[in-house]
Amino acid sequence: MSQVSEFILKNFKYTIRREKQDVGNLIGLPYPYTTPCADECFTEMYYWDTYFTNVGLLAMGNISQAKNNTDNIRFLINKYGYMPNGNRTFFLGATQPPFYFKMVEEIFEQTGDRIWLSESCAAIAKEYEYWQTHRSSPNGLNIYGNHAGYSSDVIERKYNYFKSRFKGYEAESEEEKSLCAHTITALTESGWDCSSRFEIFGEFYNPIDLNSLLYGLEKTMEKFSVILGSGEADVWRKRAAERKEKILKYMFDEENSVFLDWNYGGNRFSPVFSVASLYPFFMGISEQCEKTVAWFKEKILTEYGAAACERKTYSYDLQWDYPYIWAPLQYISYMTLKKCGYNALAEKTAMAYMKLIDGNFTETGTLWEKYSGIDGRVANADYNAPKMMGWTAGVYMFLRRELYE
């Protein structure tokens, strides 16, 4: 067992909170829940963070806490009709990438509890309806963020927040301010806050990761419907087939043979290749992965793991652009490369990340939120990186089990 593994096993308990009652802006949850940090800035439960924490919990054999996390998300979906960004009132109105169905799938694989699965499927369907009703675009694909009814005050406030993240950026018109305001809304909901994937047109982007996840949700619900005998398998199968057709129509760049985010307003692809382009293979939409893997090796993979995006030159430095290394993207990269049959490259990516974590732990005695793919050190892009267990610990423990245990 590595020093990092011992540290995680000893200290993970400090990230578990218990608060059933609403306190101030904290939304109480019925079961103990995990938070990204033990005692620093992120001390609430976050949506997509929790999936990557759960994969580590399952790798450590802590099925009960992974189930607690999953059931807390079901509670919030049933309460609000969607899963908020996190369990704080100031997160209401915004969500994050829809990983709940994956959490349910992986817990069910461990427990086989069909009554629990049926209850969970009802929440998955409710969340799906939210995405289809409140986060859809004219082409039938989905988007991040609520973009309706922005007053001039809201635009000004959101634009100022955009500028605080895109340091040095100045809009040249009121129209551009509005574009920036909508873009920061999309980015914060995407979990990639902030990245250059959507340029300043976030309102008009169909993200490839989001639409791949929703395809995965539809296929998983088809499978669950068969298991439960609910009679809804054909409905979900049709939904998945329709989404796949649209993804292939709009989001597959035939010239380069890669999937990319799609700007439906401008009728063009994003100029940025990122780990998001691996999601169609992660979710089983396509097996035509040769060019994507080649671009991954050329543009994304560093000595220390997978950077979020390809290298480009900007006047600002965003934490979800090149060269920053984040735990969830190592998991997506590893799982996708394995599914595509690139086992050696998957292991190389995973080992690079674990070596990065091990080396920084030796120097600092802890784990961190993000790292640099250039020098392999803790990255303070956008803001100073906090000490973090959460998905950093979760993905590390998952990969260690995969490669060494």
Side-chain angles (χ1 to χ4, degrees), residues 288-331:
Q288 190 179 336
C289 60
E290 292 80 6
K291 188 60 179 287
T292 299
V293 172
W295 275 24
F296 175 84
K297 290 170 64 176
E298 175 189 346
K299 299 172 182 287
I300 297 293
L301 187 60
T302 76
E303 178 183 350
Y304 304 101
C309 296
E310 66 178 310
R311 183 199 296 263
K312 286 183 176 287
T313 301
Y314 304 106
S315 60
Y316 43 78
D317 182 29
L318 301 178
Q319 62 177 350
W320 287 86
D321 276 350
Y322 187 92
Y324 300 112
I325 307 287
W326 290 83
L329 304 187
Q330 312 315 302
Y331 178 86

Side-chain angles (χ1 to χ4, degrees), residues 5 17 24 35 46 78 101 114 138 172 231 246 265 282 380 397:
S5 299
R17 300 284 194 276
T35 64
Y46 288 82
N78 287 335
F101 77 95
R114 294 191 178 204
E172 298 181 357
K246 290 173 183 175
F282 178 53
N380 291 318
M397 294 301 283

Side-chain angles (χ1 to χ4, degrees), residues 128-330:
Y128 179 79
E129 180 64 21
Y130 178 84
W131 283 99
Q132 296 303 96
T133 303
H134 299 285
R135 297 292 190 270
S136 62
S137 63
N139 61 16
L141 292 169
N142 293 82
I143 61 173
Y144 283 123
N146 175 13
H147 300 284
Y150 281 23
S151 67
S152 58
D153 288 344
V154 168
I155 289 172
E156 189 67 25
R157 174 171 55 81
K158 287 180 175 285
Y159 169 64
N160 287 333
Y161 182 53
F162 177 95
K163 286 202 304 178
S164 75
R165 304 297 293 274
F166 287 70
K167 292 180 174 63
Y169 190 96
E170 291 289 341
E172 298 181 357
S173 66
E174 292 302 311
E175 180 183 7
E176 190 174 341
K177 279 187 178 182
S178 179
L179 289 170
C180 293
H182 286 282
T183 296
I184 198 67
T185 299
L187 285 171
T188 53
E189 191 159 285
S190 76
W192 294 52
D193 51 331
C194 291
S195 158
S196 298
R197 284 171 54 191
F198 308 149
E199 308 160 276
I200 59 166
F201 305 105
E203 179 181 3
F204 304 107
Y205 261 102
N206 300 131
I208 187 59
D209 47 355
L210 170 60
N211 283 279
S212 298
L213 284 169
L214 289 170
Y215 171 83
L217 183 157
E218 291 158 346
K219 292 299 290 182
T220 301
M221 284 294 279
E222 176 192 339
K223 178 178 71 175
F224 288 163
S225 298
V226 172
I227 292 170
L228 296 172
S230 66
E232 298 179 345
D234 287 343
V235 172
W236 289 105
R237 184 181 302 113
K238 181 180 179 182
R239 288 169 175 169
E242 290 174 351
R243 183 178 301 275
K244 180 177 180 178
E245 182 179 354
K246 290 173 183 175
I247 288 173
L248 292 172
K249 177 181 178 180
Y250 292 110
M251 309 185 81
F252 184 68
D253 178 358
E254 293 192 4
E255 180 179 351
N256 292 300
S257 295
V258 296
F259 289 93
L260 293 166
D261 300 314
W262 175 249
N263 182 334
Y264 73 85
N267 200 38
R268 61 177 176 80
F269 296 107
S270 170
V272 180
F273 178 74
S274 71
V275 173
S277 290
L278 274 63
Y279 274 74
F281 310 103
F282 178 53
M283 289 289 107
I285 293 171
S286 174
E287 296 179 354
Q288 190 179 336
C289 60
E290 292 80 6
K291 188 60 179 287
T292 299
V293 172
W295 275 24
F296 175 84
K297 290 170 64 176
E298 175 189 346
K299 299 172 182 287
I300 297 293
L301 187 60
T302 76
E303 178 183 350
Y304 304 101
C309 296
E310 66 178 310
R311 183 199 296 263
K312 286 183 176 287
T313 301
Y314 304 106
S315 60
Y316 43 78
D317 182 29
L318 301 178
Q319 62 177 350
W320 287 86
D321 276 350
Y322 187 92
Y324 300 112
I325 307 287
W326 290 83
L329 304 187
Q330 312 315 302

